[in-house]
Amino acid sequence: MNKNVWLLAICQALLMSGNIVLISVNGLIGQQLSPSDSWVTLPVSTQFVGLMLATIPASLIMARIGRKNGFMLGNLIGICGAILCVYALNQADFWLFCFSTLLLGVGIGFGTLYRFAAVEVSDPASRDKAISLSMVGGVLAAVLGPNLAIASQHWLPGTHFSGAFVGITVLYIISLIVLQFIGLPPAAPVDKNNPPRSVSLIIGAPGYLVAVFAAVVAYAVMNLLMTVTPIAMHKHGFEFAQAALVIEWHVLGMFVPSFFTGSIIGKIGTRMTIMLGSLFFIACILVNLNGVSEWHFRIALVLLGVGWNFMFIGATSQLTQTYLPQDKSRAQAFNEFAVFGSVTITALLAGNLEVTLGWQTLNLAVLPFVCMVPLVYMLFTRASKKAAV
């Protein structure tokens, strides 16, 4: 795999490290500053609102100014958001903090396209491995993110957790530097002979919506359970450091499989890889229903991470096979909006669901959505076979 893919993996690692820091501290900051329990996860929600709002513009902006300039713009927005978070915490201003995390979400929205950039700098035969390896940086993030969240608690005197956002600022600055060494192609000129097709034709392509559905379920369910886990652990008497360690295990589960997910897809195909991921999700839910010890949380979130890896990378791989080159910006924009729109909804609902349903009932509530993924794929495969006949 060429150096550009590995450098993109480093950028992905730095982005994910910042995300993990946010996940680790945002819920707890919400508990400290929010006016009521129902608003505890609002800072997480506004982060994903920003991400959702950025998905379509980010893809279209990159089509005009190129991937590298787009990624640099995203990092600069993220830096502004992180610095504003520090100020908001110093002022104990909950609503300003929520706006600041929205800016961070916008920056992250640009970074979600790193995996598609990896496809563009690699050979067609290496597409699956490029997508998978671009996510390998998450292994570094699994270690760096939680430890940064813990170590930064006392970096700045007087304000709890504000040091975390100083750390995020540093991560984004390093990412800006790494981007200078990546050979990303410039924005392609518009081909008047092959203009982009309408969105309706793009989403009507065989397999496109099925891939989007799998990605939506993978990310939405993973985000919901991951966001609520630190809060559930806190309610069951666990310390912040214990919750941060559980998140570290979870992120390792998300990204360690990336070393071989591409090879698995090559051997058993995207459909079976996605269905395998759904089995890991089901196993996670069963463990959560079985108890609330620290080991229950650890094992469940590792299973959750592995399930997400197989389902999300498999869905991304399938998606890249369903659209024409001139349609990539629109196809990717619609997919990212659908995925992170659903993630935003789950983030908005997370705090209220945890309060009203409780941890174990919440796990039962997401089980039907996970089970729908293999069912949809079986129906799609059957319909495809009938169409071929």
Side-chain angles (χ1 to χ4, degrees):
M1 196 59 60
N2 64 62
K3 73 176 182 69
N4 292 318
V5 174
W6 291 109
L7 291 174
L8 285 166
I10 292 174
C11 290
Q12 184 77 51
L14 295 167
L15 179 76
M16 284 302 306
S17 296
N19 290 359
I20 295 164
V21 173
L22 285 172
I23 292 296
S24 299
V25 303
N26 269 356
L28 299 175
I29 292 171
Q31 286 181 327
Q32 292 175 6
L33 298 182
S34 66
S36 72
D37 288 344
S38 296
W39 296 107
V40 165
T41 59
L42 183 61
V44 180
S45 303
T46 51
Q47 171 193 336
F48 285 107
V49 167
L51 197 165
M52 178 187 68
L53 293 175
T55 51
I56 293 177
S59 188
L60 299 179
I61 287 171
M62 288 186 187
R64 289 182 174 272
I65 67 175
R67 292 288 194 198
K68 180 179 289 188
N69 291 330
F71 289 137
M72 290 174 62
L73 176 60
N75 276 278
L76 290 172
I77 295 172
I79 289 170
C80 292
I83 293 172
L84 195 57
C85 279
V86 175
Y87 176 76
L89 288 174
N90 283 327
Q91 300 298 311
D93 190 328
F94 178 70
W95 303 109
L96 180 59
F97 180 74
C98 290
F99 174 74
S100 305
T101 61
L102 184 142
L103 289 180
L104 281 168
V106 171
I108 294 167
F110 282 80
T112 61
L113 297 169
Y114 280 130
R115 70 190 193 279
F116 290 115
V119 174
E120 295 164 14
V121 298
S122 59
D123 297 329
S126 304
R127 181 192 61 237
D128 294 334
K129 289 185 177 180
I131 295 170
S132 183
L133 289 176
S134 71
M135 309 291 281
V136 163
V139 177
L140 174 61
V143 178
L144 180 59
N147 285 288
L148 179 59
I150 294 170
S152 63
Q153 289 183 77
H154 306 293
W155 280 3
L156 296 179
T159 306
H160 206 38
F161 296 124
S162 60
F165 297 94
V166 175
I168 291 173
T169 301
V170 173
L171 293 175
Y172 287 158
I173 291 172
I174 296 172
S175 184
L176 280 173
I177 296 170
V178 174
L179 279 168
Q180 308 312 309
F181 299 94
I182 303 178
L184 290 167
V190 177
D191 185 351
K192 294 182 179 180
N193 295 322
N194 293 295
R197 296 181 300 165
S198 66
V199 173
S200 60
L201 288 176
I202 293 170
I203 66 176
Y208 181 87
L209 286 178
V210 178
V212 172
F213 176 73
V216 164
V217 172
Y219 227 124
V221 173
M222 184 278 294
N223 179 70
L224 179 61
L225 296 182
M226 178 182 66
T227 300
V228 173
T229 291
I231 300 171
M233 291 187 69
H234 178 73
K235 286 191 173 182
H236 285 91
F238 294 101
E239 300 293 332
F240 171 71
Q242 293 172 294
L245 184 60
V246 167
I247 295 297
E248 180 177 336
W249 281 53
H250 167 63
V251 180
L252 284 171
M254 288 174 68
F255 295 107
V256 168
S258 296
F259 285 104
F260 48 82
T261 305
S263 298
I264 290 175
I265 292 173
K267 291 181 179 179
I268 67 174
T270 56
R271 182 176 67 89
M272 291 304 298
T273 303
I274 291 168
M275 293 179 74
L276 179 62
S278 68
L279 294 179
F280 276 94
F281 269 91
I282 293 170
C284 159
I285 293 168
L286 293 177
V287 171
N288 280 333
L289 294 173
N290 192 53
V292 289
S293 72
E294 184 175 358
W295 277 102
H296 281 96
F297 284 113
R298 286 189 186 185
I299 293 170
L301 258 69
V302 169
L303 293 169
L304 180 68
V306 175
W308 174 86
N309 182 281
F310 289 164
M311 284 182 68
F312 188 66
I313 292 178
T316 301
S317 176
Q318 180 179 333
L319 188 86
T320 61
Q321 302 173 44
T322 62
Y323 55 79
L324 300 173
Q326 66 267 27
D327 296 330
K328 70 176 182 180
S329 295
R330 292 182 179 182
Q332 292 169 12
F334 181 87
N335 177 73
E336 299 299 276
F337 182 80
V339 170
F340 293 105
S342 65
V343 169
T344 301
I345 292 170
T346 58
L348 285 167
L349 294 176
N352 189 55
L353 288 174
E354 200 281 330
V355 170
T356 56
L357 297 180
W359 172 241
Q360 293 186 324
T361 305
L362 178 59
N363 276 269
L364 279 173
V366 299
L367 182 59
F369 295 97
V370 175
C371 293
M372 283 178 64
V373 173
L375 177 62
V376 167
Y377 266 86
M378 286 188 288
L379 292 174
F380 172 71
T381 301
R382 185 178 300 175
S384 298
K385 289 180 178 179
K386 287 184 179 179
V389 174

